[in-house]
């Protein structure tokens, strides 16, 4: 390849899984990641927000996730997240609930609701004190009994994924998104030697070989780099303010305690 392309950059990620031409890749990805959830595999999907390359460049309002429905009416949201920040879990829950609840229009019955699945891939670790790379969150009680089987939120942390002997399709996808920027199209490793993985790699090659697409990729990468830097600075300032507020509160409490002790004497 002329240029190495990172499939985790959102415009590339969506080009791989969010285009009509690659709908078979989305089907393959969903069947691989959610295989434990389905009695029957997905056979067809409709992408509800197809990839549009023009929407990404320097546009903070770009819709960067992939939304789709399958032949059973089940709904899917797939999103890549390059950096983690405060309240991200709340955002994940809100997004899932929003997609699930928006199925109903006025007058429709709850029985028409279909299972909704959100799948989040993270380049950074979200759960700092957990070594597992995959988590499946659903509505369950203390005994693990599901309230209903209407989907949930899947979380996949790529940094924690270290499977060496890659033979399963879910492992192929995770390794591809984790290490795709290091792959060379003419000499792909054995775990990439399938029709679907080569098709995914071909999407990277398009960004790599065509100057217009590569320019868009670079522009988006630079924009995301600036966004991450701004987010880091915001988090640092926020932590500093919280620490200063805590220190001030502690000082006030200590002063009150000192005054009270002096009164008691």
């Amino acid at each position: 390849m002329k240029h190495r392309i990172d499939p985790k950059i959102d415009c590339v990620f969506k080009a791989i899984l969010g285009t009509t031409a690659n709908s078979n890749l989305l089907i393959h990805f969903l069947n691989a990641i959610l295989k434990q959830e389905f009695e029957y595999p997905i056979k067809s999907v409709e992408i509800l927000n197809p990839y549009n390359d023009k929407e990404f460049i320097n546009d903070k309002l770009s819709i960067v996730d992939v939304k789709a429905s399958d032949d059973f009416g089940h709904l899917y949201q797939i999103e890549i997240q390059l950096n983690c920040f405060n309240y991200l879990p709340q955002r994940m829950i809100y997004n899932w609930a929003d997609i699930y609840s928006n199925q109903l229009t006025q007058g429709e019955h709850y029985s028409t609701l279909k299972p909704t699945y959100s799948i989040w891939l993270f380049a950074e670790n979200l759960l700092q004190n957990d070594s597992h790379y995959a988590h499946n969150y659903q509505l369950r009680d203390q005994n693990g009994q599901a309230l209903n089987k209407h989907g949930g939120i899947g979380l996949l942390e790529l940094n924690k994924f270290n499977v060496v002997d890659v033979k399963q399709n879910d492992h192929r996808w995770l390794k591809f998104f984790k290490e795709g920027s290091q792959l060379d199209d003419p000499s792909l490793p054995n775990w990439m030697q399938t029709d679907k993985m080569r098709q995914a790699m071909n999407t990277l090659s398009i960004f790599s070989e065509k100057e217009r697409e590569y320019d868009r990729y670079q522009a988006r990468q630079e924009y995301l780099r600036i966004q991450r830097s701004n987010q880091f600075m915001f988090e640092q300032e926020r932590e500093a303010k919280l620490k200063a507020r805590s220190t001030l509160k502690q000082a006030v409490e200590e002063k009150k305690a000192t005054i009270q002790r002096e009164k008691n004497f």
Side-chain angles (χ1 to χ4, degrees), residues 139-170:
L139 294 173
R140 301 180 186 275
D141 66 11
Q142 66 275 14
N143 300 314
Q145 181 67 36
L147 181 61
N148 64 10
K149 295 183 179 180
H150 266 211
I153 300 172
L155 190 158
L156 300 163
E157 296 175 287
L158 298 177
N159 269 347
K160 298 177 183 177
F161 177 76
N162 293 307
V163 175
V164 177
D165 189 17
V166 175
K167 295 179 180 179
Q168 299 176 190
N169 286 330
D170 56 335

Side-chain angles (χ1 to χ4, degrees), residues 62-239:
S62 294
I63 300 173
V64 296
D65 61 353
V66 176
K67 291 186 177 73
S69 62
D70 67 11
D71 38 335
F72 301 110
H74 301 172
L75 295 172
Y76 304 92
Q77 175 206 22
I78 308 99
E79 182 159 339
I80 189 78
Q81 191 69 40
L82 293 179
N83 63 312
C84 299
F85 51 85
N86 290 328
Y87 309 119
L88 186 53
Q90 289 91 322
R91 175 189 166 194
M92 295 164 65
I93 296 169
Y94 178 86
N95 284 0
W96 178 88
D98 185 54
I99 296 170
Y100 184 72
S101 63
N102 277 338
Q103 296 180 64
L104 290 184
T105 58
Q106 188 173 4
E108 286 190 310
H109 196 272
Y110 292 117
S111 62
T112 62
L113 288 168
K114 299 294 185 180
T116 300
Y117 299 86
S118 289
I119 303 172
W120 291 73
L121 290 85
F122 290 90
E124 295 180 353
N125 295 342
L126 178 67
L127 307 177
Q128 300 299 330
N129 299 319
D130 194 314
S131 61
H132 297 91
Y133 70 85
H135 297 269
N136 181 20
Y137 297 100
Q138 298 184 2
L139 294 173
R140 301 180 186 275
D141 66 11
Q142 66 275 14
N143 300 314
Q145 181 67 36
L147 181 61
N148 64 10
K149 295 183 179 180
H150 266 211
I153 300 172
L155 190 158
L156 300 163
E157 296 175 287
L158 298 177
N159 269 347
K160 298 177 183 177
F161 177 76
N162 293 307
V163 175
V164 177
D165 189 17
V166 175
K167 295 179 180 179
Q168 299 176 190
N169 286 330
D170 56 335
H171 292 166
R172 294 182 201 277
W173 278 110
L174 294 180
K175 194 171 181 68
F176 170 72
F177 283 118
K178 181 178 181 178
E179 301 179 5
S181 61
Q182 305 168 29
L183 297 175
D184 186 21
D185 199 6
S187 55
L188 293 176
N190 289 336
W191 60 269
M192 280 289 292
Q193 297 297 339
T194 71
D195 290 342
K196 299 298 188 299
M197 291 295 100
R198 284 194 290 268
Q199 183 178 341
M201 193 66 197
N202 184 61
T203 303
L204 299 193
S205 298
I206 292 172
F207 277 90
S208 172
E209 299 297 335
K210 296 182 179 179
E211 291 302 326
R212 180 170 172 269
E213 279 75 6
Y214 183 64
D215 288 343
R216 291 183 183 276
Y217 167 81
Q218 282 191 309
R220 186 61 182 175
Q221 193 174 42
E222 177 62 17
Y223 174 77
L224 293 174
R225 188 179 294 115
I226 293 171
Q227 289 293 98
R228 288 197 295 273
S229 298
N230 290 341
Q231 183 66 40
F232 176 77
M233 292 175 63
F234 172 80
E235 295 291 348
Q236 291 290 98
E237 290 175 1
R238 181 178 178 276
E239 290 179 9

